[in-house]
Amino acid sequence: MALITKIREKSGVAAAAIAISLILFLVGGDIFQGRSSFFGGSSDVVGEIGGENIKFQDFQKKVEELSQNYTQQAGRGPGEQELAQMREQVWNQYIMDLAYGKEYESLGLSVTPKELVDMVQGENIHPSVRQQFTNPQTGQFDKNYVIQFLKNFKTMPVAQQQAWANFEKSLSQDRLRSKYENLLRMSTYTTNAEAQKEYTAQTAKVDVRYLYVPFYSVADSTIKVSDSQLEEYLNSHKDLFKGQNTRSLQYVTFPVIPSKADTASFYNDIKRLAKELAVTKNDSAFAMMNSDVKTPYYATLAEIPEAVKGQLSSMVVGGIYGPFKNGLSYSIYKYGGVQKDSLYTVRASHILINADKNAPDSVKAAARKRAEGILAQIKGGASFEAMAQQFGSDGTAQQGGDLGYFKNNGGMVKPFENAVFGYSGTGLLPGLVETDFGYHVVKVTEAKTNTRYKLAAVNRTIAPSQSTMDDVLRKADAFASANDTKDKFEAALKKDKSLLMLRADRIQEGATGVNNLQNARDIVRWAFNNDTKIGAVSEVFQNDNQYIVALETGATSKDVVKVDDFRDELTARVRGDLKAEQITKKLGGISGTLEQMAQKYGAGALVETVNDLTLAQGVLTSAGADPTALGKAFGLKVGQKSKPFKGEAGVFVMETTKSTPAPAIADLTIYKNSAKMMAAQRTSFYINEAIKENAKVVDNRAKFY
């Protein structure tokens, strides 16, 4: 499915359509070998795009068609995640048809049959087709595979033919979007003035001295903020505080934990299974049929739990071992001996010092010298793991360089694989290993082996019985019934300290989870139901091995923004303004040098110096990146001192001591191209947002799913 991920990254809305088409088309196997209470309210409108209502029945019919195609090809129904992807595909298809489609039509854009043939089997193969029809032996795209597939197309099942038709439609839409984006992208340009501005921002420099009084130097407790001030600030800064539809909850969890009787019954079951496993002839099939978690019959050392590894040397063929505990799961093993594999397995750690293969020789030499220095320190007694955390340049650094287990099957680049599997035993490799990624300091932590162990494992998890679940459900139901108002709910929590209460603030309408509760759409739908008001107490919800009773404590609306929706942020902003007024007033009555002003002001005032500031990357010492202060620094004449002014997080008095203008430059091409490239990179996102805004897209799917 790496193909699908790449497509999504490249093409936004159109990519989602291609991605799901590929899921439906490819899920049956190798294509060229032929293996192949919804409603939250009374409305039936699932959304609106371009002034057209999308009825739930029509929307759901399209989802069901995709679901049926998936089931026919996969041999099973789609899971919740796959259904969510299908709903997303259908929604994006509506956007393509109703929003993008009108734009394409007005410009006369289309994809001809000839273009489609060219994308599938011509000279300009679409990346999705190219990656799917790749020869597994050569790793290269093979057009003959495409031709072979199309020759056999009419003999394929109807569902697969339809899936291919949908896939081709997605290719056309992707090409249409590319044409549309390219038209707009080519219509943008960068002027010489913009290029000059970019050049100046990167090369003009100033040295500054400044007095800085951060807001945090004034205690919050000394600044009183009233509701009227918050209301006034909100009204004058509405563009900063956009409303959202959210809900806030308190909820009580009633975990379902196996009882003593459940545990005793489980142990009896494990003992019975151990006896039956000991005498069964087909132990692998027995283990498979009686396990909650399936494990391989032939296991490498890497696949065997640590608790079992320690007993391998004393195991005898036909012996029963265990149970071994792993969380709530227990395993019993029947040992069947060993078998030699054609591949070896090893475990190793490394410290990578990056040096790209195309880097200049001087860069490579510096990287090698650094890696040799690290190797020497480890040989001298330094901790490999500590050195990996300090100097490692890839994702393994935080794990002390641990790469885990891997086989000699090409999973690692060849020079690295040869070095590790060519080493006997464990320990630090004496020399560096050079690859296209750079230089590796390597330590083999578990020696290579091609031994596989025959272990028939019965893995069982202690689970609560139905009786136990019923008991907890009755308890949760009694709580919900007895505490059906906000006051009763909160009083019950104060009275019974054993109840576990949690909060969930600002839940989004389309959320699938609530805090760490996964698959909690039923709770979210209840919270957003039109009949659910603030103070309402829910019925009992089941979520995995627990029951939930929720109290709705808050709600925000995208249409009506209130102070309480942003109270903390508003309070911080208003308090900052009040502190700025207080600090500015005090500094306004002080004269002298910056040092004299700081001394007269008292605690909290800092005097700092920063040299070589640029507009593009200017950072002040204590204040950090402050655009207001940065602009003031470039606006002052050399030797000029500003009046006190408010910055992002404090008040400044700025003095520019040196100014170095940007040198004259004859050719601004580099800066013009850089600005143009940055604008082009944003084009796709801005187009998508503009089209959706223009189409006034209203998405009500969260009320139905």
Side-chain angles (χ1 to χ4, degrees), residues 314-335:
S314 61
M315 288 184 177
V316 297
V317 175
I320 300 295
Y321 299 89
F324 296 95
K325 187 176 185 297
N326 183 17
L328 290 177
S329 296
Y330 287 79
S331 303
I332 51 175
Y333 291 86
K334 184 176 182 180
Y335 181 60

Side-chain angles (χ1 to χ4, degrees), residues 568-580:
D568 291 343
E569 186 177 350
L570 286 168
T571 300
R573 286 174 176 266
V574 172
R575 185 181 285 129
D577 285 350
L578 294 175
K579 287 182 179 182

Side-chain angles (χ1 to χ4, degrees), residues 5-54:
T5 303
K6 290 180 181 178
I7 296 171
R8 283 181 181 150
E9 290 172 352
K10 289 183 67 176
S11 303
V13 174
I18 294 179
I20 304 301
S21 295
L22 278 174
I23 290 174
L24 298 171
F25 176 61
L26 305 180
V27 71
D30 187 331
I31 61 175
F32 39 80
Q33 293 182 5
R35 295 191 301 254
S36 28
S37 112
F38 290 124
F39 296 97
S42 59
S43 174
D44 66 342
V45 176
V46 78
E48 181 182 338
I49 301 174
E52 296 188 33
N53 287 336
I54 302 169

Side-chain angles (χ1 to χ4, degrees), residues 50-351:
E52 296 188 33
N53 287 336
I54 302 169
K55 296 297 184 67
F56 173 79
Q57 293 85 346
D58 298 332
F59 185 90
Q60 182 61 19
K61 182 179 179 181
K62 293 179 181 294
V63 174
E64 288 172 356
E65 288 174 357
L66 294 181
S67 177
Q68 289 168 7
N69 290 340
Y70 183 99
T71 301
Q72 289 174 0
Q73 295 188 46
R76 64 172 179 84
E80 184 54 41
Q81 183 176 0
E82 289 136 340
L83 280 172
Q85 290 175 324
M86 292 173 193
R87 295 180 197 123
E88 190 68 16
Q89 183 198 357
V90 172
W91 178 253
N92 286 334
Q93 189 61 57
Y94 273 110
I95 291 178
M96 293 295 293
D97 293 340
L98 301 178
Y100 279 83
K102 293 179 179 179
E103 300 296 324
Y104 301 154
E105 184 179 352
S106 65
L107 291 171
L109 295 179
S110 65
V111 174
T112 66
K114 185 177 179 180
E115 282 183 274
L116 183 57
V117 171
D118 186 49
M119 284 191 286
V120 174
Q121 54 181 310
E123 298 302 319
N124 300 287
I125 305 296
H126 191 281
S128 302
V129 178
R130 182 177 294 277
Q131 292 190 32
Q132 180 53 36
F133 289 91
T134 295
N135 189 316
Q137 278 72 45
T138 65
Q140 301 296 315
F141 168 71
D142 192 334
K143 192 184 296 184
N144 291 325
Y145 278 169
V146 184
I147 295 171
Q148 179 186 345
F149 168 75
L150 293 175
K151 283 181 178 179
N152 298 326
F153 180 70
K154 291 185 178 180
T155 65
M156 294 178 183
V158 174
Q160 194 169 9
Q161 292 185 37
Q162 184 59 48
W164 175 258
N166 292 337
F167 177 56
E168 284 192 331
K169 181 180 179 182
S170 299
L171 296 179
S172 295
Q173 290 174 334
D174 186 45
R175 175 61 61 85
L176 270 174
R177 180 175 171 124
S178 295
K179 289 182 177 183
Y180 183 71
E181 288 187 359
N182 286 336
L183 276 174
L184 294 182
R185 188 177 289 114
M186 295 300 291
S187 69
T188 62
Y189 60 93
T190 301
T191 65
N192 287 335
E194 289 172 319
Q196 180 66 50
K197 181 180 178 181
E198 180 68 20
Y199 168 68
T200 301
Q202 294 186 32
T203 54
K205 298 177 181 179
V206 295
D207 295 350
V208 298
R209 299 178 69 248
Y210 57 91
L211 182 154
Y212 176 56
V213 183
F215 293 152
Y216 64 75
S217 65
V218 179
D220 287 352
S221 59
T222 64
I223 306 296
K224 304 302 180 184
V225 179
S226 66
D227 280 358
S228 61
Q229 289 173 311
L230 298 179
E231 191 74 46
E232 182 181 352
Y233 191 94
L234 177 61
N235 290 334
S236 59
H237 296 82
K238 289 184 177 180
D239 57 322
L240 297 177
F241 300 94
K242 301 295 184 182
Q244 289 183 317
N245 291 331
T246 71
R247 298 293 184 268
S248 297
L249 303 174
Q250 287 183 357
Y251 59 95
V252 180
T253 67
F254 296 85
V256 184
I257 301 171
S259 65
K260 291 182 179 179
D262 296 336
T263 303
S265 175
F266 175 82
Y267 279 126
N268 290 333
D269 193 38
I270 281 286
K271 292 176 184 177
R272 175 185 60 79
L273 288 170
K275 292 177 181 178
E276 293 177 4
L277 179 60
V279 298
T280 188
K281 293 182 179 179
N282 193 342
D283 48 13
S284 61
F286 179 87
M288 187 74 68
M289 292 176 60
N290 290 281
S291 290
D292 296 331
V293 179
K294 309 297 188 292
T295 54
Y297 181 51
Y298 289 98
T300 64
L301 202 63
E303 297 168 321
I304 299 174
E306 293 296 329
V308 183
K309 286 182 185 178
Q311 297 198 26
L312 284 174
S313 59
S314 61
M315 288 184 177
V316 297
V317 175
I320 300 295
Y321 299 89
F324 296 95
K325 187 176 185 297
N326 183 17
L328 290 177
S329 296
Y330 287 79
S331 303
I332 51 175
Y333 291 86
K334 184 176 182 180
Y335 181 60
V338 298
Q339 182 188 65
K340 296 299 181 181
D341 193 2
S342 59
L343 295 173
Y344 282 84
T345 300
V346 73
R347 186 173 186 177
S349 299
H350 80 145
I351 303 170

